[in-house]
Each structure stands twice: as structure tokens, then as C-alpha cells.
Amino acid sequence: MAEGQDDVADLSFEAALKRLEEIVRKLESGEAPLDEAIDLYTEGDRLKRQCEARLAAAQARIEQIQFGPGGAPSGTAPFGGD
């Protein structure tokens, strides 16, 4: 059941991570035949990259929070802004 790039991009972070964990369990158990294992590995790689990209985007948004005097949040800067 290999998913395409678009299918992976549509998954929430949590759904992608859950599917990735399922794939890892199946691959570690050794229960998948070789062809299926290759397909699962490919899907897992896409899921891993998607999760990493979402985490990086979330981190970038967090880093854009502006802090005022005393360290209290005072607003945000545009994502990807100067």
C-alpha cells in the first residue's frame, strides 16, 4: 500500500508519524516480503521527509515570535521575514 507524494502531503503530522511507526514495526518484524519491504521503505522515506519538513516549519514559526521588554511575547514577525 504505497502512497503517492500527494497522499503523504495531505496527511496531518500525527497521521504521518503514526503510519511511519506502523511501517517501522512491520519492517523490523521481518514479516514483509522483499518487494513489499522495498515499497514500505520508500513510503517511509516520504513520510519521514514530510514529518521533518512540518517540524522545521513549526520551529521557524516559533522562532518568529517577537519578545518585548521583560521577555514577554509581544507579537510575531512574518514567517520567512527579515
Side-chain angles (χ1 to χ4, degrees):
M1 171 170 123
E3 295 182 34
Q5 284 288 109
D6 293 336
D7 295 336
V8 170
D10 291 339
L11 293 175
S12 69
F13 174 81
E14 292 78 8
L17 187 58
K18 181 179 179 184
R19 177 64 182 144
L20 183 56
E21 289 170 346
E22 292 169 358
I23 289 170
V24 168
R25 275 193 297 278
K26 191 163 189 177
L27 289 174
E28 285 180 342
S29 74
E31 66 186 58
L34 180 59
D35 288 340
E36 182 183 355
I38 291 169
D39 290 341
L40 287 169
Y41 182 86
T42 302
E43 180 185 355
D45 183 56
R46 286 194 305 267
L47 289 162
K48 176 184 151 293
R49 286 186 276 126
Q50 177 67 17
C51 287
E52 288 173 340
R54 293 218 174 160
L55 286 174
Q59 181 178 359
R61 285 197 323 258
I62 290 168
E63 290 172 354
Q64 293 298 318
I65 296 172
Q66 301 285 314
F67 292 94
S74 63
T76 59
F79 181 69
D82 301 321

